[in-house]
Every structure is written in C-alpha cells, then in structure tokens.
Amino acid sequence: MPDDHRASVPGPADAIRPLLRTRQFREFTAVPPTAEELDAIVDAARWSGSSQNTQPWRFVVIHDEASIRRIAAAGMPLTRSLQTATAAVAIVLPVSPERAVSLAYDDGRAAERMLIAASMLGLGAGIAWIKADTRPVVADLLAMPADRMVRTIVAIGRPTASARAPKSEPGSARLPRSEVVFEDRWPGG
Ligand SMILES: Cc1cc2nc3c(=O)[nH]c(=O)nc-3n(C[C@H](O)[C@H](O)[C@H](O)COP(=O)(O)O)c2cc1C
C-alpha cells in the first residue's frame, strides 16, 4: 500500500488532537457563550474524577460582567483573562489544610476539563488563579460561606482573532519530547 494512503488514515495522534489544541486564552470578544454551552462546560467539570469520588467542588457560574471585571481588577496580573471574559466559572472548595494537596489536585482536574470542553465547543477558556489576598473579594462577590475558598476561576468566552494567533513558533511551545519522556528508566540511570 502506498505511503500516502497510510498517512491519511487517522491514528492515535489524530484522535487526541482536541487535547493538544486546548490552550490558555486571555482575550475574548464581547459575544458571550450561550447558556447551553456553559451548561455543557460545567457538566464536563462536575463529571471529573476526584479523590475517593468526594466531588469536593461546587461551581459558581458567573454571568455578571461587573463581578467578573471586579475580580479581574483585584487579582492582576493572574486574572487578566477576566478583563474581557464574558462568563466565568469559580471552582469552590472546602477550606481544609489537611486535605490541601488532594483538593488542589481535584481543582486542577476540573479546571483542565473546562478548558478542554470550551475548546471542543469552539470557545476558549483560561485559568485565573486567585491568590490568598484576592480571595476575600471573590468570597464577598459570590456570597460564599467562610468554610469555602476559590483558588481557580476559569474565564470563558469567544477568543479574539489575536488571542487565537499562535503564541510561539510551531512545535516550540513545549520542551522537546526527548527531554520529557523516557522509556522504562531514567536516562543514564
Ligand atoms: C496550575 C496552573 C495555574 C495557572 N494560573 C494562571 C493564572 O493565574 N493566570 C494566567 O493567565 N494563566 C495561568 N495559567 C496558564 C498557564 O500560564 C499556561 O497554561 C501556560 O503558559 C501554557 O500556555 P498554553 O496552555 O496556552 O500552552 C495556569 C496554568 C496552570 C496549569
């Protein structure tokens, strides 16, 4: 069979392409996602796996652009994606120092799923970390109880053309495979 025919058969790398296309967006147009799109994105998050299936998260979908902008202003520069986002999802977690690592892991899984879901819908999303000194602003705006906290807010919207432009030369945004992936043993070990 000629090589060019085989090259056109989709393989594993093609199947996972939606994951590789997922990236951080920080600038959005004024056109908000639809309610249906937001529901789908949050469903992707709430179906994430979590430690012992505790599902420690609660998700606050923020539609109010004034609130989104206030969080953006309070948390710069980490929150710059919220300067133009037309929707956002706050991942609310219990305050629990003894579970901190496990909760942070679950937080990351839910956040990444929302980025992937947004990308699959042709939207874009970005992670905005909320530092400890910004958390009171978020807690107040979202009327949260004292035993919950927000570390991650996912900004969601329709990326602008410039935000969609590649941020770096093709193939250069990650370390070379040879520096990151090893077979069976640590190299030289
Ligand atoms: C744990 C974590 C926290 C992040 N926090 C922020 C953040 O607060 N603000 C921000 O703009 N980007 C944040 N990012 C996005 C990274 O900067 C981004 O993923 C990285 O630069 C690679 O860009 P790419 O995903 O578009 O390839 C965070 C990413 C991760 C994984």
Side-chain angles (χ1 to χ4, degrees):
M1 196 162 293
D3 276 355
D4 55 344
H5 175 78
R6 261 180 297 169
S8 68
V9 175
D14 301 294
I16 64 156
R17 192 71 56 196
L19 297 178
L20 270 52
R21 280 206 195 98
T22 300
R23 42 172 284 209
Q24 171 87 10
F25 288 102
R26 299 191 178 91
E27 193 182 73
F28 306 95
T29 72
V31 183
T34 65
E36 213 181 353
E37 287 169 334
L38 284 174
D39 283 352
I41 290 168
V42 179
D43 273 344
R46 100 187 155 77
W47 278 96
S48 302
S50 57
S51 174
Q52 298 181 310
N53 198 23
T54 47
Q55 304 166 65
W57 42 59
R58 298 294 180 267
F59 302 102
V60 179
V61 182
I62 314 172
H63 306 271
D64 177 39
E65 290 191 18
S67 295
I68 297 172
R69 300 298 172 260
R70 282 185 63 188
I71 298 169
M76 288 292 282
L78 297 183
T79 50
R80 60 195 185 280
S81 55
L82 296 169
Q83 289 180 310
T84 53
T86 41
V89 178
I91 303 176
V92 181
L93 296 166
V95 175
S96 173
E98 62 282 4
R99 291 168 64 203
V101 173
S102 150
L103 289 168
Y105 197 103
D106 294 341
D107 191 7
R109 290 193 71 181
E112 180 69 6
R113 279 214 187 188
M114 286 194 265
L115 262 60
I116 295 165
S119 174
M120 291 174 77
L121 293 172
L123 300 167
I127 290 171
W129 255 16
I130 305 302
K131 288 181 296 178
D133 60 358
T134 310
R135 286 180 198 156
V137 175
V138 174
D140 186 41
L141 281 167
L142 305 188
M144 283 164 44
D147 61 350
R148 305 290 168 117
M149 55 88 80
V150 171
R151 176 191 298 107
T152 306
I153 297 184
V154 176
I156 302 172
R158 303 184 188 282
T160 61
S162 63
R164 285 189 190 277
K167 289 186 266 193
S168 45
E169 290 300 308
S172 70
R174 295 294 185 265
L175 294 168
R177 191 174 208 285
S178 60
E179 286 182 30
V180 181
V181 181
F182 312 127
E183 306 296 333
D184 293 317
R185 292 173 70 86
W186 191 259

